[in-house]
Amino acid sequence: MNEKYRATLKSTDTEDWLDLHVIRPFCYYCAVFFAKFDIHPNTVTIWSMIIGAASAVFFGCASFYYGGTMGLIYNIIGIVLLMVADILDCTDGQLARMTGKKSRIGRILDGVAGFTWFVPIYAILVWRFYQHHTIEFGWLGIDDTPENALIATAVVTVLGFISGFWGMAGQQRLADYYIQVHLFFLKGEKGSELDNSVQQQEIYDHMPPHAPAYERLFQKSYIDYTRKQEKITPQFQRLLSKLREKYGSTDNIPQEFREEFRQKSLPVIFWNGLLTFNFRESWLFLFCLLDVPVCHFVFEIVAMGLLWKYVNRSHESFCKQLADKL
C-alpha cells in the first residue's frame, strides 16, 4: 500500500505532516473506492464544490454564545462539511494520478474549487455579523443601535471582500504556484502543472467554435489566474527565462541546478504550506465556534498577509540569486 499510496502524491516535499500522515492516506482509500466504481476525478471535484458551498448555510448560524447548543451543533456541521469538501478536493488529484484520468478542465476545476466554497461562506459570515455582534461591540464600546449595526456591517463587508479576494484568493493562488514550481524542478515539466498565461491564451484562442460556454469561461478565468501568478513572481520569471535561454529547453536543465533549487525552495515550501487549507481553516473554525467570525477576516488580512509577504520575498530572493549566477 505504501508504494501505491506514494504514487498518488505530487511529492512528499510539498505535503505538510497532517496531509502526509493523516489526510492523504485517508484520501487514498477514498480514491480506491471511487476508482472501483469508475467515478471520474472531475465528478469528485464538483461534489467537493457543492458540499463546500453548502457548509455556508451552517456557518451562517450563530454558535453557542448566541445560539446555545443548537447553534454550536450547526457550526460543527459546517466544519464537518467543509472538511469533507477538502477531503474530496484532495481525493480528486490522487484519483486522477491513480487512474491516469488527468485533464485540463480538471486542473482548472481544482483551482477554482476553493473559491466556490468561500464566496458563499464569507458572504454569509457578513450576514452573521449583522445579526450577532454584541461581543465585538462590547470590545469596542459601541452602542448596539440599528444605525451602528449597519455602519459596522458595511465595514465588515469591506473586510470580508479584502479577506476573500486579496487575502485567501491571492495567498492560495501564490501557494499553489510555488508548489508547482517546486515540482517543476523536482520532477521536470511532465511531473508538474506549471502552466503559463501565454500557453493558456493559445489554448483559448484555438478552442473550437462549438466548445461549451462553461469550458470557455473556465479557460478564460484560468488565463487570469496564471497571469496573476506570474505578475507577483518577476524574479522567478526572470530565472525561468534565463534557463530557457541557456539550455534551450527546460528538460535540459542540469540535475545539479535542480537540486540546488530544491534545497533553497524546501524552507520556503514549509511556510508556504501554512497558506493552504489546513492552517488557515483551523482559525476559521475557531473564530466561528467562539462566535467572532469577523476576527477571521482580520487574521487573514494581517497575519496571513504578513506570512504571504514573507513567503513571496523569500522565494523571489533566492530566485534572484540563482538568476544572477547564470
Side-chain angles (χ1 to χ4, degrees):
M1 178 268 181
N2 193 44
E3 291 182 5
K4 291 181 179 179
Y5 158 61
R6 289 182 178 274
T8 66
L9 300 177
K10 294 177 181 177
S11 162
T12 55
D13 277 7
T14 54
E15 303 288 350
D16 61 33
W17 186 93
L18 183 63
D19 273 331
L20 189 60
H21 297 284
V22 180
I23 297 175
R24 290 295 184 177
F26 181 75
C27 292
Y28 170 79
Y29 287 113
C30 292
V32 170
F33 174 80
F34 292 139
K36 285 183 178 179
F37 291 93
D38 198 28
I39 296 173
H40 198 280
N42 291 356
T43 302
V44 178
T45 307
I46 292 170
W47 288 348
S48 164
M49 295 164 71
I50 294 171
I51 293 171
S55 71
V57 176
F58 298 94
F59 282 120
C61 301
S63 191
F64 187 77
Y65 182 84
Y66 297 108
T69 302
M70 284 308 302
L72 177 62
I73 291 172
Y74 286 143
N75 275 257
I76 292 174
I77 292 172
I79 290 171
V80 171
L81 287 176
L82 194 53
M83 290 177 68
V84 170
D86 178 54
I87 288 171
L88 291 175
D89 189 43
C90 293
T91 299
D92 61 3
Q94 288 178 258
L95 179 61
R97 286 184 285 276
M98 179 186 295
T99 60
K101 294 179 179 179
K102 298 180 181 180
S103 66
R104 180 169 49 84
I105 287 296
R107 168 64 178 149
I108 296 172
L109 279 174
D110 192 53
V112 303
F115 300 105
T116 307
W117 306 342
F118 291 108
V119 168
I121 289 174
Y122 282 26
I124 209 162
L125 289 183
V126 172
W127 171 253
R128 174 171 167 171
F129 172 81
Y130 176 70
Q131 295 290 320
H132 308 286
H133 46 254
T134 304
I135 296 175
E136 294 89 338
F137 275 26
W139 289 345
L140 300 173
I142 299 173
D143 293 332
D144 192 358
T145 65
E147 292 79 10
N148 287 342
L150 285 172
I151 294 170
T153 301
V155 173
V156 170
T157 301
V158 174
L159 288 176
F161 186 87
I162 296 172
S163 173
F165 289 95
W166 176 83
M168 185 274 294
Q171 292 159 14
Q172 292 202 322
R173 181 169 55 238
L174 184 72
D176 177 62
Y177 193 59
Y178 283 156
I179 289 171
Q180 299 307 325
V181 167
H182 189 87
L183 292 173
F184 175 80
F185 284 93
L186 182 67
K187 294 186 171 184
E189 194 162 354
K190 293 181 180 179
S192 75
E193 296 171 338
L194 186 63
D195 298 323
N196 64 76
S197 59
V198 173
Q199 173 195 54
Q200 296 306 311
Q201 184 65 56
E202 289 177 356
I203 292 173
Y204 180 81
D205 292 341
H206 289 88
M207 290 179 77
H210 58 271
Y214 73 86
E215 191 171 339
R216 287 182 173 277
L217 178 62
F218 280 143
Q219 184 62 32
K220 194 70 174 176
S221 68
Y222 195 54
I223 294 168
D224 180 63
Y225 185 84
T226 52
R227 279 177 180 162
K228 287 177 179 176
Q229 289 175 324
E230 292 161 358
K231 184 177 180 180
I232 199 67
T233 57
Q235 291 301 328
F236 172 69
Q237 305 308 320
R238 174 171 165 258
L239 172 62
L240 201 58
S241 177
K242 282 200 163 193
L243 286 170
R244 285 173 174 150
E245 181 181 333
K246 184 171 183 177
Y247 298 109
S249 168
T250 53
D251 292 333
N252 298 329
I253 298 173
Q255 186 58 39
E256 300 79 29
F257 185 91
R258 291 180 182 276
E259 182 58 28
E260 183 180 4
F261 186 98
R262 175 177 177 269
Q263 291 302 322
K264 289 181 179 296
S265 175
L266 276 172
V268 181
I269 286 296
F270 170 79
W271 295 107
N272 188 68
L274 298 182
L275 293 174
T276 55
F277 183 87
N278 296 334
F279 180 73
R280 176 190 306 276
E281 298 329 303
S282 63
W283 290 94
L284 172 64
F285 299 160
L286 176 64
F287 290 133
C288 284
L289 291 174
L290 293 176
D291 264 322
V292 286
V294 69
C295 290
H296 182 70
F297 295 158
V298 177
F299 172 80
E300 200 156 52
I301 293 169
V302 179
M304 297 297 284
L306 290 172
L307 177 61
W308 171 82
K309 198 71 176 176
Y310 171 76
V311 168
N312 182 232
R313 285 192 173 184
S314 299
H315 200 279
E316 285 288 279
S317 177
F318 81 71
C319 284
K320 183 179 185 303
Q321 293 173 10
L322 291 174
D324 289 345
K325 287 168 57 177
L326 289 174

